[in-house]
Amino acid sequence: MVKAGAAPHWRPRLAPAVVLRHDRVRGADLLVMPERVVVLTGHAGTVLGLCDGERDVRGIVGDLGARFPGSPVATDVPVFLGRMRAEGWLR
């Protein structure tokens, strides 16, 4: 179980059975799994798109901080990634 947020040195990547896709009809990013589809809201797809196993959490936060200055990415993103990991969607 993840407590407050993701460890800064963790290099998140999508779980093997999870695919990030953009649905043009819905205008939304989706997580597609064998028996489930999750419709992502806000910038969740942008955050998950950076989870390539190469960047660590600090790198993802830094990238997003540059893209969205003034946004609370340093606090919100690690918590979001921790929840996605707890769901089993990130490794």
Side-chain angles (χ1 to χ4, degrees):
M1 178 175 211
V2 176
K3 293 181 181 176
H9 298 293
W10 171 44
R11 296 180 183 277
R13 68 183 191 289
L14 291 175
V18 179
V19 177
L20 178 63
R21 293 238 166 103
H22 183 75
D23 182 343
R24 289 186 213 173
V25 174
R26 291 182 184 159
D29 291 317
L30 310 171
L31 284 181
V32 180
M33 293 164 266
E35 295 185 16
R36 184 174 184 187
V37 173
V38 176
V39 179
L40 302 171
T41 59
H43 293 290
T46 302
V47 175
L48 293 175
L50 296 174
C51 296
D52 56 8
E54 297 294 320
R55 296 175 184 89
D56 62 10
V57 173
R58 286 182 185 168
I60 292 169
V61 167
D63 189 322
L64 292 168
R67 290 186 198 192
F68 306 105
S71 296
V73 296
T75 54
D76 292 354
V77 170
V79 172
F80 171 73
L81 293 175
R83 281 188 291 196
M84 297 299 98
R85 186 181 206 178
E87 288 289 337
W89 302 336
L90 288 176
R91 302 272 183 225

